[in-house]
Amino acid sequence: DIQMTQSPSSLSASVGDRVTITCRASQSISSYLNWYQQKPGKAPKLLIYAASSLQSGVPSRFSGSGSGTDFTLTISSLQPEDFATYYCQQSYSTPPSFGPGTKVDIK
Amino acid sequence: QVQLVQSGSELKKPGASVKVSCKASGYTFTSYAMNWVRQAPGQGLEWMGWINTNTGNPTYAQGFTGRFVFSLDTSVSTAYLQISSLKAEDTAVYYCATLEAATVTNHNWFDPWGQGTLVTVSS
């Protein structure tokens, strides 16, 4: 099974900051990497699929990059509604697996 | 719009069973596989498996065999998760999610998700 790790596990940032979250796979997964945002008490929401494709309706301040084993989610200018936990997920092989999450909170 | 609506929270005693429903709307139910994901309190997301909505054939992830059963009622566009012999460690939010796939590549992703069903197991 493919193991996913994320760093940092949490971060504190201010509105307007540029935020970068890293996800690493235990083996190469090409571009089979998705990103989700989860707010407390809510279901995860798809942000980015196939490593860099922005899901319809998601603000353009979110972007994804990477391939192989190393991936990045970037929020170019953090907004109040972006405080949440972010998960990466590999879809390269079964079972699909999620990273442990990165919690973004207010500084 | 495409939507998954799950049944409400459940409080069960150890040893009991629970059945969670996930009703789909806004699309042809049999067009997308239905997946189940567990999230224990304060923890991350864990894929439980999926069910082929055309054939009804389920696939269970390791750790979710035996007490967990996925089923369908295509006449009402609804998927079900049944858990038997409940244990305290089954306390979690359970999500259904459809698997959407790219038409040209093999990329796939979970979207949309149901709102989640909290199952609490306590004596």
Side-chain angles (χ1 to χ4, degrees):
Chain A
D1 296 1
I2 297 174
Q3 310 302 318
M4 307 299 293
T5 58
Q6 289 182 233
S7 61
S9 56
S10 65
L11 65 91
S12 296
S14 301
V15 172
D17 283 353
R18 182 181 182 88
V19 169
T20 299
I21 298 169
T22 297
C23 175
R24 178 165 289 174
S26 60
Q27 65 181 75
S28 178
I29 57 171
S30 183
S31 60
Y32 290 81
L33 192 283
N34 308 314
W35 290 98
Y36 302 86
Q37 175 194 66
Q38 187 179 34
K39 296 181 180 180
K42 300 294 187 182
K45 172 189 171 185
L46 178 70
L47 297 176
I48 303 282
Y49 61 92
S52 60
S53 295
L54 191 69
Q55 172 68 345
S56 176
V58 174
S60 59
R61 63 181 179 272
F62 291 93
S63 64
S65 64
S67 66
T69 60
D70 295 320
F71 301 85
T72 298
L73 174 70
T74 299
I75 310 172
S76 60
S77 178
L78 198 66
Q79 298 301 299
E81 60 267 31
D82 301 337
F83 292 96
T85 299
Y86 294 85
Y87 294 94
C88 61
Q89 175 245 326
Q90 66 82 15
S91 60
Y92 182 81
S93 66
T94 299
S97 46
F98 295 87
T102 294
K103 185 176 181 181
V104 177
D105 61 21
I106 302 171
K107 194 172 196 176
Chain B
Q1 79 274 22
V2 177
Q3 194 175 9
L4 301 176
V5 178
Q6 298 184 224
S7 48
S9 297
E10 301 268 10
L11 174 60
K12 296 291 185 181
K13 294 189 183 302
S17 295
V18 68
K19 193 169 187 177
V20 176
S21 67
C22 170
K23 182 172 176 59
S25 61
Y27 71 99
T28 301
F29 182 67
T30 52
S31 294
Y32 300 97
M34 189 64 75
N35 290 253
W36 291 92
V37 175
R38 182 172 75 177
Q39 187 169 39
Q43 302 301 306
L45 302 165
E46 185 177 19
W47 182 73
M48 301 173 64
W50 68 287
I51 185 165
N52 185 316
T53 52
N54 277 298
T55 66
N57 184 48
T59 299
Y60 301 97
Q62 204 166 6
F64 294 100
T65 56
R67 297 188 300 115
F68 299 83
V69 176
F70 306 147
S71 62
L72 304 170
D73 184 343
T74 55
S75 68
V76 290
S77 301
T78 300
Y80 300 95
L81 163 66
Q82 184 162 0
I83 311 171
S84 59
S85 302
L86 282 163
K87 307 174 183 180
E89 51 263 42
D90 294 323
T91 295
V93 176
Y94 293 85
Y95 293 101
C96 58
T98 57
L99 188 73
E100 187 164 359
T103 52
V104 176
T105 69
N106 285 330
H107 289 101
N108 57 76
W109 51 89
F110 299 118
D111 183 66
W113 296 61
Q115 83 276 20
T117 297
L118 173 62
V119 175
T120 303
V121 184
S122 174
S123 54

